Amino acid sequence: MIDRAPLELERFLPYRLSILTNTVSQAIAREYERRFDLSVTEWRVMAVLARYDGEGLSAREVAERTAMDKVAVSRAVARLVAAGRVTRRTHHGDKRRSVLRLTAKGWKVHDAVAPLARAQEREVLARLDAEERAWLARILDKLLMA
Amino acid sequence: MIDRAPLELERFLPYRLSILTNTVSQAIAREYERRFDLSVTEWRVMAVLARYDGEGLSAREVAERTAMDKVAVSRAVARLVAAGRVTRRTHHGDKRRSVLRLTAKGWKVHDAVAPLARAQEREVLARLDAEERAWLARILDKLLMA
DNA sequence: TGCAAATGGTTTCATGTGAAACTATAAGGG
DNA sequence: CCCTTATAGTTTCACATGAAACCATTTGCA
């Protein structure tokens, strides 16, 4: 049986996910790109550095925790270091590895952006009722695991 | 009250949506990009042309129905025309507008790709049970309207 | 009518991005 | 130990993308 019925793009899951992701991400990204000269990739790097602060993550660990590839991380880190938002040192005992940490300046940016991000998330979730939010969380968990 | 708790990226909705969208889209996109030399944007254009066939859509209408901007559509159409998959004529009575249609060759590609796309969607949805699928549809409807 | 504003579409420019190649260092196996 | 292989990270190249400028045509209205 040949499957020739026209594909209805607006009912097609990958398409709908793509639209939703773009609108949700862009809404906030534009804001902090403009106000802080901070790209999405840079923000993600800052977020994980903030979260695992004190440990001093390597670029590879950042890549793992942000689902970005190492090239993207390398570039984001280079910009963050140039902007004085992140320090990069060499790992004791493994000169290949870098040790990344937020600077005080980096923390200030983080503390300004984090509430914006949270507010944006709340705004989206506010359009759902409690039951829908619970299902959404569950569905994402399921689809995202391995 | 200042909101300084570290932002957990892996629980953050925009981030999770972004990961999910990328994995879902790339899984299939890679396949038909390689086999048919067809980008995601080109595929979307073909999908709406197939769906509204006979009417002969303009580039603007394609843009509306694919949520792509007019630049992206212009480029995708140019490639499709060059590949002989789409014809472009000038609208009767409005020389600014184009009238786009799939060629027989275009239909062949469409008929080969559409089942791949559907199969990919089914594969994702198969990871959810019936109840979850219903909620997902409902949640996307709600989040995507307006 | 004639002219400013709007519309359809393309081109240009500056920037972002992934893949692959590359450098440097470390680890592992004979 | 040496030498192959693996790993961390950067650079290069080729291409995708969005914003703004642009051209042609049409519309609205003084």
Side-chain angles (χ1 to χ4, degrees), chain A residues 13-29:
Chain A
L13 180 63
Y15 173 73
R16 295 187 355 127
L17 281 176
S18 159
I19 303 293
L20 181 59
T21 298
N22 286 343
T23 52
V24 167
S25 295
Q26 280 183 8
I28 183 197

Side-chain angles (χ1 to χ4, degrees), chain A residues 2-25 28 43-45 47-48 50-52 64-68 107 110-111 113-115 117-118 120-122 124-125 127-129 131-133 135-146, chain B residues 2-25 28 43-45 47-48 50-52 64-68 107 110-111 113-115 117-118 120-122 124-125 127-129 131-133 135-146:
Chain A
I2 301 176
D3 193 358
R4 293 197 57 175
L7 194 144
E8 292 177 54
L9 211 51
E10 69 273 30
R11 303 294 324 156
F12 185 57
L13 180 63
Y15 173 73
R16 295 187 355 127
L17 281 176
S18 159
I19 303 293
L20 181 59
T21 298
N22 286 343
T23 52
V24 167
S25 295
I28 183 197
W43 165 244
R44 286 187 182 169
V45 171
V48 303
R51 176 124 181 264
Y52 299 93
E64 270 173 12
R65 287 165 171 73
T66 53
M68 292 161 54
W107 272 107
H110 172 272
D111 293 346
V113 173
R118 275 185 231 283
Q120 163 64 7
E121 182 184 40
R122 269 197 303 273
V124 173
L125 289 174
R127 303 172 62 184
L128 302 177
D129 61 37
E131 199 180 6
E132 290 162 339
R133 284 196 290 271
W135 279 101
L136 176 57
R138 172 174 166 170
I139 290 166
L140 286 175
D141 281 343
K142 225 165 159 177
L143 292 180
L144 285 170
M145 70 184 188
Chain B
I2 302 175
D3 192 359
R4 291 197 58 176
L7 194 145
E8 293 178 52
L9 211 51
E10 68 273 30
R11 303 293 325 156
F12 185 56
L13 180 63
Y15 173 73
R16 295 189 351 129
L17 280 176
S18 158
I19 302 293
L20 181 58
T21 298
N22 286 342
T23 52
V24 166
S25 295
I28 183 197
W43 165 243
R44 286 187 183 169
V45 171
V48 302
R51 177 123 178 264
Y52 299 94
E64 270 172 12
R65 287 166 171 72
T66 54
M68 293 162 54
W107 273 106
H110 172 271
D111 292 347
V113 173
R118 276 185 230 283
Q120 163 63 7
E121 182 184 41
R122 270 197 303 273
V124 173
L125 289 174
R127 302 172 62 182
L128 301 177
D129 61 39
E131 199 180 7
E132 289 162 339
R133 283 196 290 270
W135 279 100
L136 177 56
R138 171 174 167 171
I139 290 166
L140 286 176
D141 281 342
K142 226 165 159 177
L143 291 180
L144 284 170
M145 70 185 186

Side-chain angles (χ1 to χ4, degrees), chain B residues 9-113:
Chain B
L9 211 51
E10 68 273 30
R11 303 293 325 156
F12 185 56
L13 180 63
Y15 173 73
R16 295 189 351 129
L17 280 176
S18 158
I19 302 293
L20 181 58
T21 298
N22 286 342
T23 52
V24 166
S25 295
Q26 280 183 9
I28 183 197
R30 279 196 200 289
E31 177 76 5
Y32 62 66
E33 289 197 357
R34 195 178 52 70
R35 281 180 44 189
F36 302 99
D37 187 27
L38 186 71
S39 73
V40 175
T41 54
E42 289 166 54
W43 165 243
R44 286 187 183 169
V45 171
M46 293 191 72
V48 302
L49 290 183
R51 177 123 178 264
Y52 299 94
D53 189 56
E55 307 175 34
L57 297 181
S58 70
R60 209 194 101 266
E61 291 168 319
V62 170
E64 270 172 12
R65 287 166 171 72
T66 54
M68 293 162 54
D69 70 38
K70 62 182 185 168
V71 177
V73 171
S74 172
R75 282 194 268 242
V77 168
R79 280 207 77 211
L80 289 169
V81 169
R85 291 168 174 177
V86 165
T87 57
R88 169 168 38 197
R89 277 183 292 177
T90 301
H91 189 272
H92 256 30
D94 186 345
K95 289 176 202 155
R96 292 170 308 178
R97 260 179 244 181
S98 51
V99 179
L100 304 168
R101 278 206 182 77
L102 289 182
T103 62
K105 200 175 184 180
W107 273 106
K108 267 175 91 169
V109 173
H110 172 271
D111 292 347
V113 173

Side-chain angles (χ1 to χ4, degrees), chain A residues 70-138:
Chain A
K70 61 182 185 168
V71 178
V73 172
S74 172
R75 282 193 269 243
V77 167
R79 280 207 77 211
L80 289 169
V81 170
R85 291 168 173 176
V86 164
T87 57
R88 169 167 40 197
R89 277 184 293 176
T90 300
H91 189 273
H92 255 32
D94 187 344
K95 291 176 201 157
R96 293 170 308 177
R97 259 180 245 181
S98 51
V99 179
L100 304 168
R101 277 206 183 75
L102 289 181
T103 62
K105 199 175 184 179
W107 272 107
K108 267 174 91 170
V109 173
H110 172 272
D111 293 346
V113 173
L116 291 180
R118 275 185 231 283
Q120 163 64 7
E121 182 184 40
R122 269 197 303 273
E123 212 173 285
V124 173
L125 289 174
R127 303 172 62 184
L128 302 177
D129 61 37
E131 199 180 6
E132 290 162 339
R133 284 196 290 271
W135 279 101
L136 176 57
R138 172 174 166 170

